[in-house]
Amino acid sequence: MFVIDAHLHTCLSPCADLDMHPSALTEAAVRAGLDAVGVCDHNSAENAGAVERAGRTAGLAVIPGMEITSAEEVHILGLMPDMEAALELQSRVYRALPGRNDERAFGMQVVANEQAEVLGFNEHLLAGATTLEVDRVVEAVHSIGGLAVASHVDREGFGIIGQLGMIPAGLPLDALEISRLTALPEARARFAPRDEFPLVCSSDAHEPKDVGKGATWALLERPTIGELNLAFRGQCGRQILGGGRPMEDLALHILDIAQNSIEAGATKIEIELQEEPDADRLVIEIRDNGTGMDQETLSRVRDPFFTTRKTRRVGMGIPLLAEAARAAGGGLEIESEPGKGSRIHATFRYHHIDRAPVGDIETTLMVLLACRPELVIRFMHKVGEETFELDARELRRAGINPATPEGLAAVRQVIRRGEAEIR
């Protein structure tokens, strides 16, 4: 399983922060716990190679590409298999891109290397539109072995629906991208109610602090265009498991805490989410049978710079959940003993203006069930008087195996049906 933010800009894009040079982007992606990124500057791939080299040193996979502006001012991500293909696409885009950049009007377009050294300035009008209509943009991306993804379809400006009023019938897009402004459950209902397109979530980050604020969880063998292509089509066991806003949506706070439990050796995880609008109360409780924590660890676990995890440099899961609860008028309690597991109990005022949205429960459960199908996972979601419960053991008794594509598809339907019935 890989966590991917497939839409990032560098200082080459005139609207991006000058601090978003290749090494800063890479460092921010590693801090965010990403496995792979897509470098998609406006109408150019000149900095993608530097990010790729920086990523190779940092253990970060990099997908080169660009965000192409069609003649209709629709943004299309072209995610390419390698730098050679990205530069071929760049050549085609440059031939169809009129005008020269005016730094005073649009900003600098900095070409930089992986050491954050400025190599020069791109003189093309990267903020402009090409003369290629949207169908020709998609055709150009596909002709060089890339994937064409409609950018931020939930946004009015430069989104395909905002610009054209629809997605043209027969346009062979590989996926739709949702910005971090829209929760994935809402996006599914609006843009792919019958699973017409796979949906991915990205940050569209233009400065380092926003890297990883939108991400997609994908079941792949490795983060390549070929593997993503299979995942978009649900073939050969590859799947797009879901997406969202890490550390902003409560569902992804739950996922992060559950991953802590897994790293602590838990074989059983119980998750309860209770929404009580009439009582102005929301409760999250996560219990596990992992190794537990001694008193010294327990006293330090709220410190964001203390961690026992091996998958992230700082242990932001519990500190950020505690802060999210505090900001929404609630709090967080932790009980743990060595050999007896842990219990985390977070409360929120339901109607508090700063209470984070629940987000995409489907993503959380799909990631946990797909990546660790042997785990005993019990989940209960209560909204008012309505309750949805899921037990991994009952799924297995019913012949549903999350380790298979057919099992994952069945699990997804169980989750969607259950979540829909309590709303």
Side-chain angles (χ1 to χ4, degrees), residues 89-125:
L89 182 62
Q90 174 183 276
S91 178
R92 297 188 189 189
V93 167
Y94 281 177
R95 291 197 295 269
L97 185 64
R100 313 295 285 181
N101 186 46
D102 182 345
E103 290 185 357
R104 293 169 297 180
F106 302 109
M108 289 188 289
Q109 301 175 162
V110 180
V111 180
N113 66 15
E114 60 271 32
Q115 282 83 40
E117 298 169 332
V118 175
L119 302 182
F121 300 88
N122 189 300
E123 296 183 355
H124 293 276
L125 184 58

Side-chain angles (χ1 to χ4, degrees), residues 38-296:
V39 181
C40 296
D41 282 307
H42 291 291
N43 294 317
S44 180
E46 282 200 61
N47 275 355
V51 180
E52 191 176 65
R53 291 189 293 275
R56 195 176 302 126
T57 300
L60 178 75
V62 176
I63 299 170
M66 66 181 70
E67 185 172 32
I68 305 165
T69 306
S70 76
E72 305 94 337
E73 297 195 331
V74 172
H75 284 178
I76 301 291
L77 300 180
L79 302 175
M80 308 308 292
D82 51 41
M83 275 308 303
E84 182 179 359
L87 293 176
E88 171 59 27
L89 182 62
Q90 174 183 276
S91 178
R92 297 188 189 189
V93 167
Y94 281 177
R95 291 197 295 269
L97 185 64
R100 313 295 285 181
N101 186 46
D102 182 345
E103 290 185 357
R104 293 169 297 180
F106 302 109
M108 289 188 289
Q109 301 175 162
V110 180
V111 180
N113 66 15
E114 60 271 32
Q115 282 83 40
E117 298 169 332
V118 175
L119 302 182
F121 300 88
N122 189 300
E123 296 183 355
H124 293 276
L125 184 58
L126 301 183
T130 68
T131 59
L132 301 171
E133 295 183 349
V134 68
D135 58 336
R136 291 186 60 204
V137 171
V138 173
E139 179 185 355
V141 171
H142 285 164
S143 70
I144 320 173
L147 298 175
V149 179
S151 303
H152 39 67
V153 297
D154 54 326
R155 279 176 35 191
E156 190 71 21
F158 302 107
I160 192 167
I161 296 173
Q163 295 300 115
L164 304 182
M166 61 178 179
I167 299 174
L171 185 66
L173 291 166
D174 297 292
L176 307 182
E177 179 201 48
I178 307 303
S179 78
R180 54 193 172 93
L181 302 177
T182 304
L184 207 53
E186 177 189 346
R188 290 191 192 102
R190 288 173 58 189
F191 305 115
R194 293 175 296 279
D195 289 331
E196 297 94 328
F197 295 98
L199 301 181
V200 297
C201 186
S202 306
S203 69
D204 191 10
H206 286 65
E207 50 187 313
K209 69 179 181 63
D210 291 330
V211 173
K213 286 194 173 181
T216 300
W217 279 255
L219 194 60
L220 313 170
E221 285 193 0
R222 53 193 179 279
T224 65
I225 288 299
E227 290 281 308
L228 269 179
N229 189 30
L230 291 173
F232 285 161
R233 287 155 179 74
Q235 296 175 348
C236 302
R238 280 54 161 193
Q239 293 277 338
I240 299 297
L241 298 174
R245 299 166 290 200
M247 301 303 100
E248 293 183 27
D249 293 343
L250 294 179
L252 296 183
H253 278 289
I254 292 171
L255 175 59
D256 197 57
I257 299 301
Q259 288 175 325
N260 283 348
S261 297
I262 292 170
E263 292 198 10
T267 59
K268 180 179 181 181
I269 303 173
E270 296 178 306
I271 301 167
E272 294 183 6
L273 171 60
Q274 300 183 46
E275 300 182 55
E276 303 171 2
D278 292 344
D280 193 23
R281 178 180 168 88
L282 185 150
V283 178
I284 295 171
E285 183 161 303
I286 304 168
R287 301 181 295 273
D288 69 52
N289 66 345
T291 56
M293 292 177 275
D294 58 27
Q295 286 302 309
E296 180 183 358

